[in-house]
Amino acid sequence: QSALTQPASVSGSPGQSITISCTGTSSDVGSYNLVSWYQQHPGKAPKLMIYEGRRRPSGVSNRFSGSKSGNTASLTISGLQAEDEADYYCCSYATSGSWVFGGGTKLTVL
Amino acid sequence: QITLKESGPTLVKPTQTLTLTCTFSGFSLSTNGVGVGWIRQPPGKALEWLALIYWDDHKRYSPSLKSRLTITKDTSKNQVVLTLTNMEPVDKATYYCAHRGGHDAFDIWGQGTMVTVSS
């Protein structure tokens, strides 16, 4: 299976909103509501930000939201803050019971 | 509080087999719905899912690495072991283990362990 497709980079100013897309296929994103999103700061382990496409774990800011349309999932961060600057990865359950990650998106807060 | 920690060699030679251990606490791998997965990340590159083992001993592997991977669990020791055979320089990466909770996501991660492949 191929990695999910994400933009290499996105940027925004503090207070603005940004959206990161994650495009898969009918064998993964399109077939399951099991997309998760992870935030990774340099040198750190990934942190779960969104699961089941749009649900937030306890403790994650409500500035983070997820959605899906067809084979594309999206992560939106509103009210950008400097601490949001990080790499973001999407991940989807896929047919045959495997999992696939996206290529990652570097978010820069200007 | 759930914690996981990876352990194993930091350096392996080409063609050798890598054996990594994930030691966890705060949950039991005999609890319905629970799983432990392995994910790796080459330096400066993206995350790559490798394998997952479920509470009922079902196992899933990355299709591209399936022939080289084996995942096992020791419930009594709270450990999950991953082996990757025939190591190559391209397998150099930080290897993470992670808890897969009831929501089909990797909700808690270990700190990761860096593995280099060199003769």
Side-chain angles (χ1 to χ4, degrees), chain B:
Chain B
Q1 178 193 5
I2 292 175
T3 64
L4 305 97
K5 187 173 184 179
E6 307 85 353
S7 60
T10 57
L11 177 66
V12 298
K13 291 180 169 53
T15 75
Q16 285 188 336
T17 294
L18 172 67
T19 299
L20 295 173
T21 300
C22 176
T23 303
F24 56 85
S25 63
F27 68 95
S28 172
L29 202 36
S30 60
T31 299
N32 196 330
V34 173
V36 171
W38 284 92
I39 301 101
R40 72 179 180 180
Q41 184 174 36
K45 295 189 177 181
L47 299 169
E48 178 185 17
W49 175 77
L50 300 177
L52 180 65
I53 190 165
Y54 290 94
W55 80 100
D56 58 1
D57 209 37
H58 275 84
K59 302 164 187 178
R60 296 291 182 263
Y61 297 102
S62 165
S64 61
L65 292 167
K66 186 174 183 177
S67 63
R68 299 173 54 203
L69 286 167
T70 302
I71 190 170
T72 59
K73 64 181 176 71
D74 186 329
T75 304
S76 65
K77 291 183 179 179
N78 281 354
Q79 291 182 332
V80 171
V81 174
L82 182 79
T83 63
L84 180 60
T85 62
N86 194 25
M87 290 289 284
E88 305 173 10
V90 295
D91 295 314
K92 174 182 178 178
T94 296
Y95 287 75
Y96 296 98
C97 63
H99 173 266
R100 177 266 189 194
H103 300 298
D104 271 317
F106 300 106
D107 53 3
I108 306 294
W109 294 60
Q111 64 188 26
T113 186
M114 179 68 182
V115 178
T116 299
V117 185
S118 175
S119 55

Side-chain angles (χ1 to χ4, degrees), chain A residues 56 60-65 78:
Chain A
R56 282 186 308 275
V60 172
S61 170
N62 60 9
R63 298 185 299 105
F64 291 82
S65 62
S78 59

Side-chain angles (χ1 to χ4, degrees), chain A residues 89-109:
Chain A
Y89 294 91
C90 60
C91 178
S92 176
Y93 183 79
T95 53
S96 76
S98 61
W99 295 85
V100 59
F101 280 90
T105 298
K106 181 177 179 60
L107 169 62
T108 300
V109 180

